[in-house]
Amino acid sequence: MQVDLLAGTACRSAAIPRRQPTILVFDSGLGGLTVLGATMAAHPDARMIYAADDAGFPYGRLDEPRLIDRVMAVMERLIARCGPDLVVIACNTASTLVLPALRARFAIPFVGTVPAIKPAAALTRSGLISVLATPGTVARDYTRGLIQTYAASCKVTLVGSTGLAALAEAALKGDPVDDEAILREIAPCFVEIDGARTDVVTLSCTHYPLLLERMKRLAPWPVAWIDPAPAIARRVTQLLGPAQPDIPSIPTESLALFTSGAGLTGPLRIALAGYGLAGVDIEAIPLAH
Ligand code: DGL
């Protein structure tokens, strides 16, 4: 129970005062747009800010201490600039490592994105599931803990893709991406053991749903692909309360921020506008070498 600041009455569940909430959706690059879309659909009342640490991309190649330092430094700047009510870390590579430090440092809610191993284990019939992720995410203790806790009875194949996130970025920017290159990255997900085949693949990097239709077409056999975006949007709603239809209509300036902006091509700007991001700006945060 908490007090509704405008109405001066007590109300249930809304964790945020009755005004337009600001949601910051963060990723190393463009993958978090898949999460932004679902979150925006659930919260048309919110001011959305999408932040891509493109100066640090790809996170999959950074060692753990470096990645923690990087995300903490970038988040310090973004939170000071944007004043979000809630932050979505739309990046498995970061969430599986940095959430405890973020929650200890900042007094706002963080929603993370971690491999959907529990739903995959619930869904599989063959008992063979694959986790398609960055090399960083598959190496995490956190990911192994999820497998032990929720999928101990399954055969879990961890596939650390070195190139798929960059291919997804290229495709979104309108650059040509070969089918063979995509197939090479996803092929290790498809496992056959004693006549049983992988039947569930979790898309455990937020970039990968950007290529979902092509991955479905190229897959050696049909599988269920788990995109975590709808579950993340539901978690945001749990924390913020449902969208507020009666909110005073404040012009919503949804914004995309880049820490480098080096790859901001015309087609990318058009793609960002297609996600409802009206403005684009640079918050320059170079990666220390
Ligand atoms: N989109 C990110 C994830 O969910 C990471 C891609 C990268 O920067 O390596 O893991």
Side-chain angles (χ1 to χ4, degrees):
M1 194 81 110
Q2 73 163 48
V3 174
D4 176 324
L5 296 181
L6 287 186
T9 55
C11 65
R12 289 171 62 78
S13 87
I16 301 294
R18 187 171 286 275
R19 60 178 173 76
Q20 185 174 43
T22 295
I23 302 174
L24 173 64
V25 177
F26 171 79
D27 184 26
S28 57
L30 303 173
L33 290 169
T34 60
V35 174
L36 177 94
T39 307
M40 244 177 175
H43 283 277
D45 59 327
R47 180 170 75 115
M48 302 295 299
I49 300 177
Y50 184 75
D53 183 14
D54 59 331
F57 179 84
Y59 277 180
R61 80 196 145 117
L62 297 183
D63 64 33
E64 295 192 353
R66 214 158 161 233
L67 182 54
I68 294 172
D69 287 352
R70 176 66 186 173
V71 175
M72 295 306 286
V74 171
M75 208 44 72
E76 202 74 53
R77 287 272 290 276
L78 293 175
I79 288 174
R81 172 167 175 170
C82 308
D85 295 291
L86 179 146
V87 179
V88 179
I89 303 294
C91 175
N92 293 260
T93 314
S95 296
T96 48
L97 186 67
V98 192
L99 281 173
L102 288 169
R103 288 178 174 140
R105 167 68 187 90
F106 301 101
I108 48 174
F110 285 84
V111 176
T113 315
V114 300
I117 288 164
K118 187 179 178 186
L123 195 60
T124 181
R125 293 278 168 270
S126 68
L128 269 58
I129 65 182
S130 292
V131 177
L132 182 59
T134 66
T137 298
V138 300
R140 299 271 184 267
D141 290 344
Y142 188 93
T143 302
R144 286 165 200 276
L146 288 177
I147 293 169
Q148 274 160 19
T149 309
Y150 298 113
S153 61
C154 297
K155 161 91 182 82
V156 181
T157 302
L158 291 167
V159 179
S161 164
T162 52
L164 202 51
L167 293 175
E169 296 238 331
L172 192 72
K173 289 174 184 166
D175 297 338
V177 174
D178 288 346
D179 279 355
E180 294 68 35
I182 296 174
L183 184 55
R184 235 189 337 268
E185 301 291 327
I186 67 170
C189 293
F190 293 83
V191 175
E192 259 185 299
I193 301 174
D194 298 334
R197 287 173 156 186
T198 304
D199 62 354
V200 182
V201 177
T202 77
L203 299 173
S204 298
C205 166
T206 51
H207 280 72
Y208 302 164
L210 293 171
L211 295 172
L212 181 57
E213 291 316 311
R214 293 183 70 181
M215 293 195 290
K216 282 181 179 168
R217 178 166 57 74
L218 295 166
W221 59 79
V223 293
W225 303 85
I226 300 183
D227 172 0
I232 296 162
R234 283 195 295 277
R235 180 67 187 138
V236 170
T237 302
Q238 276 175 359
L239 291 169
L240 283 185
Q244 304 169 57
D246 56 337
I247 212 166
S249 76
I250 303 162
T252 299
E253 297 273 322
S254 292
L255 177 70
L257 286 174
F258 289 81
T259 57
S260 145
L264 265 174
T265 57
L268 177 54
R269 285 176 186 273
I270 292 167
L272 293 170
Y275 278 93
L277 296 165
V280 176
D281 202 0
I282 314 268
E283 176 75 29
I285 313 176
L287 187 67
H289 289 289

